[in-house]
Amino acid sequence: MRYDQFENYLDTDLAWRKKEISELLLLAKTSNKEVLLKSLILLLYAHWEGYIKKSSKLYIKYVSEEKIKINDLSSNFTAIVLKSQISRCIEESDSLTLANELSFINGYLKKINKRFKIKIDPDKDLDKDIIDTQSNLKPKVFKSIVDIVGLDYKTSIETREHYINSNLLANRNCIGHGSPFDHTNQLDFSLTLKDIEKLKDIIFSIIDNYREELLDYVNNEFYLSVNEVKRKSYTLKKDKELEKLFSQIESV
């Protein structure tokens, strides 16, 4: 996969998602019916989970097709390759022998000089082997995916975990399970266009940032262990940018 192909995949997948949200938002503005406002929350969550899942798989697929030695990649790719062996060690952790641990070490030593090659299909939504949103992409799960992909979870997002959990996840779960919207159990959020637009802007700021980082990681080869220092410096810069953007959204 070439860089321009990777970029096109990310942009095409994001464009139709934004288009759907914009179209539904326009309908909600013209009628302001509660059912449309509730639908906006459901659709916003669906595209939040859908884009993070697909873009993460695309990135892993890109790195896999580069055919780089595992030992030359950042440690998250080693973890991906050894996932099944790690799971086996955890499952059999009560064993009184070192057989599992020795098997794990031998497996590791055999694989680190091989090229990173993973079979992953970005279009297969039911494939949860590597990227698993648990059908409930709360910040804690998002952080796990960020770790698996090899990016850094940002302080600017961490400080807004409660906002995302309360206003996107809790309301999506409530609406999705057929319960009425609980107006009495909301913190700084109501079922209004203004609050939903703010929520939309926060979520898509994270999505846009994620897209930008995946492209920059490919362009700057931040997936290589030799670029670790540059990657850390880059992350600090992006975290400041995202914090500034969040502050602008919240000040309106």
Side-chain angles (χ1 to χ4, degrees):
M1 189 191 311
R2 300 190 309 271
Y3 174 86
D4 59 332
Q5 290 177 311
F6 178 62
E7 182 178 30
N8 183 61
Y9 288 145
L10 292 184
D11 289 351
T12 299
D13 190 61
L14 184 55
W16 75 269
R17 297 179 189 279
K18 286 186 173 182
K19 184 173 182 290
E20 283 198 349
I21 292 291
S22 297
E23 289 175 348
L24 188 55
L25 192 59
L26 184 60
L27 285 174
K29 286 179 178 177
T30 57
S31 69
N32 204 32
K33 289 183 178 180
E34 183 171 294
V35 65
L36 290 174
L37 300 174
K38 290 165 69 175
S39 297
L40 268 168
I41 293 175
L42 292 177
L43 191 61
L44 179 59
Y45 172 81
H47 288 321
W48 154 244
E49 178 181 332
Y51 189 78
I52 295 300
K53 178 165 52 178
K54 186 163 187 176
S55 60
S56 299
K57 289 182 178 182
L58 278 166
Y59 176 70
I60 293 172
K61 180 178 174 66
Y62 179 94
V63 176
S64 178
E65 292 181 1
E66 289 294 282
K67 299 178 181 178
I68 302 166
K69 285 185 178 180
I70 296 170
N71 205 29
D72 292 330
L73 293 168
S74 50
S75 58
N76 59 294
F77 293 102
T78 303
I80 290 173
V81 170
L82 296 174
K83 183 177 182 291
S84 60
Q85 287 179 278
I86 293 171
S87 298
R88 195 178 306 122
C89 281
I90 294 172
E91 289 170 3
E92 301 177 10
S93 60
D94 58 344
S95 173
L96 297 177
T97 71
L98 291 175
N100 294 325
E101 289 81 355
L102 289 171
S103 175
F104 172 78
I105 291 172
N106 288 331
Y108 169 74
L109 293 174
K110 286 179 182 178
K111 289 181 178 180
I112 56 173
N113 287 315
K114 292 184 178 180
R115 299 188 187 281
F116 177 73
K117 190 67 178 176
I118 289 291
K119 186 179 290 186
I120 186 167
D121 186 353
D123 295 318
K124 195 174 181 181
D125 287 336
L126 297 179
D127 178 14
K128 301 179 180 180
D129 189 44
I130 299 174
I131 302 298
D132 185 6
T133 61
Q134 301 177 26
S135 300
N136 191 34
L137 189 57
K138 53 189 175 184
K140 182 179 178 181
V141 177
F142 177 55
K143 182 181 184 301
S144 296
I145 292 174
V146 167
D147 290 340
I148 290 168
V149 171
L151 276 63
D152 289 308
Y153 191 66
K154 296 179 176 53
T155 302
S156 54
I157 298 175
E158 185 177 3
T159 55
R160 288 160 179 88
E161 286 181 353
H162 181 71
Y163 174 84
I164 296 169
N165 278 325
S166 299
N167 301 330
L168 179 62
L169 273 297
N171 287 327
R172 170 259 181 179
N173 291 338
C174 175
I175 297 166
H177 292 148
S179 300
F181 185 83
D182 188 356
H183 292 272
T184 63
N185 194 29
Q186 302 292 320
L187 181 64
D188 297 326
F189 186 85
S190 58
L191 203 59
T192 63
L193 274 171
K194 182 179 179 181
D195 282 350
I196 291 175
E197 283 192 276
K198 176 183 173 183
L199 179 61
K200 184 259 304 180
D201 289 343
I202 291 288
I203 296 303
F204 271 104
S205 293
I206 299 173
I207 290 174
D208 286 337
N209 175 266
Y210 197 68
R211 169 200 164 275
E212 290 169 10
E213 288 202 19
L214 291 178
L215 289 172
D216 288 341
Y217 266 55
V218 166
N219 193 41
N220 295 292
E221 298 184 330
F222 286 146
Y223 45 76
L224 297 177
S225 56
V226 71
N227 290 327
E228 176 70 9
V229 174
K230 291 181 180 178
R231 183 179 71 82
K232 289 292 184 183
S233 177
Y234 166 85
T235 296
L236 290 173
K237 180 176 76 100
K238 296 300 288 183
D239 197 8
K240 289 179 181 177
E241 289 177 3
L242 193 56
E243 176 61 42
K244 182 178 180 181
L245 184 55
F246 283 156
S247 297
Q248 290 173 348
I249 293 169
E250 292 162 349
S251 66
V252 176

